[in-house]
Amino acid sequence: MGKKRIFLTGAAGSLGASLRSRLRTRYDFRLLLHATVPDDLHPEDQVVVGSVADDAAMVEAGSDVDAIVHLAIRRWRGMTPEDVAKATFEVDIPGVYNVLEAARINEVPVVVFASTNHVTGLYEKEGLVSTPESPVRPDGVYGAGKAFGEALGRFYAERHGIRVICLRVANFNGEDGPGRQYAPGYSRWLSPRDLAQLVWRSIEADHVEFGIFYGVSGGSQKKWDLSNAREMLGYVPKDDGTLPEYGGNE
């Protein structure tokens, strides 16, 4: 039996580049590219040029794959709050709908959705631990848009039988170190290998019909509760942003 083929949106971003590198021996890829074409594409990669906001293109691109991994698009650098809000309404919200519709129409069994810790960002600002069961408290329009994606994912899981796994991704810098040492329990770092572990475990967790999990490495227990990721996905972080060797500056 051959490898599963994964349709990866946001494939040129930092999350996409990391997953392409670390999961290549496990999966084959169909990559959605928009404005940037990476210079490290593999000869066996299937490449689609388009936008998640294009519904017809997404349905076509989502055919004959075993899973869809819909990655976050970072919008912070150089953007005003108004710019971020506009992108959320014009790309992020229609994009997650188009991904889920593509999965429904093409009978793709599982969608992994890169959500964000900003869905519960106000708890963090108040020094409270967030759990996947905590009421949604976004700290901005971006987080509210991701909360919509999680709610829509639950609808598609319960109404259409698609397994939907939502990963609330924390700080991802694409490096093998967080760039600073966090205080014990307060790490915000998701390492590349822990990202890869979360994604492949989500794809392979056939017993999980719907789930919301925090995407962060170890040392984060005073911010986010990882117990359901451990119990339901078997996720055990390999990295920890609070280790002494990460004593550099931000």
Side-chain angles (χ1 to χ4, degrees), residues 8-24 29 31-33 38 40-41 45 69-73 114 172 174 195 199:
L8 193 66
T9 73
S14 60
L15 293 170
S18 182
L19 290 176
R20 286 187 285 112
S21 171
R22 290 181 174 269
L23 295 182
R24 186 165 300 284
F29 291 108
L31 309 176
L32 182 71
L33 305 177
D40 62 344
L41 296 179
D45 289 340
V69 178
H70 181 41
L71 298 180
I73 302 172
F172 182 82
L195 168 68
V199 169

Side-chain angles (χ1 to χ4, degrees), residues 119-130 134-137 214:
V119 168
T120 50
L122 288 183
Y123 291 108
E124 183 181 350
K125 292 182 183 300
E126 295 176 359
L128 302 174
V129 176
S130 300
S134 300
V136 169
R137 293 185 67 200
Y214 281 94

Side-chain angles (χ1 to χ4, degrees), residues 56-231:
M58 289 301 294
V59 170
E60 182 178 358
S63 64
D64 299 318
V65 297
D66 299 292
I68 301 176
V69 178
H70 181 41
L71 298 180
I73 302 172
R74 292 302 300 269
R75 302 192 178 283
W76 306 110
R77 187 172 300 172
M79 297 180 70
T80 66
E82 292 76 17
D83 292 334
V84 173
K86 183 178 180 182
T88 297
F89 288 115
E90 293 183 351
V91 180
D92 293 353
I93 288 177
V96 69
Y97 169 74
N98 290 339
V99 164
L100 291 165
E101 268 294 277
R104 180 188 68 81
I105 292 169
N106 290 298
E107 299 182 346
V108 180
V110 57
V111 173
V112 180
F113 170 51
S115 185
T116 176
N117 63 283
H118 292 282
V119 168
T120 50
L122 288 183
Y123 291 108
E124 183 181 350
K125 292 182 183 300
E126 295 176 359
L128 302 174
V129 176
S130 300
T131 74
E133 296 78 26
S134 300
V136 169
R137 293 185 67 200
D139 57 8
V141 174
Y142 174 76
K146 292 294 188 180
F148 168 81
E150 293 180 357
L152 195 64
R154 183 182 289 273
F155 167 76
Y156 272 79
E158 296 184 351
R159 180 61 63 89
H160 299 297
I162 301 168
R163 293 198 302 110
V164 180
I165 310 299
C166 305
L167 302 178
R168 290 178 174 170
V169 176
N171 286 15
F172 182 82
N173 61 2
E175 304 293 336
D176 291 329
R180 58 167 289 184
Q181 182 185 6
Y182 290 95
Y186 289 97
S187 179
R188 299 175 55 85
W189 179 48
L190 174 61
S191 73
R193 64 175 172 174
D194 284 337
L195 168 68
Q197 180 192 174
L198 272 169
V199 169
W200 74 254
R201 287 188 181 278
S202 296
I203 292 170
E204 304 300 333
D206 293 338
H207 60 289
V208 180
E209 297 180 1
F210 176 83
I212 296 172
F213 307 96
Y214 281 94
V216 66
S217 292
S220 58
Q221 66 271 19
K222 293 185 179 180
K223 288 182 174 291
W224 301 297
D225 181 6
L226 290 179
S227 59
N228 74 327
R230 296 176 186 272
E231 295 164 6

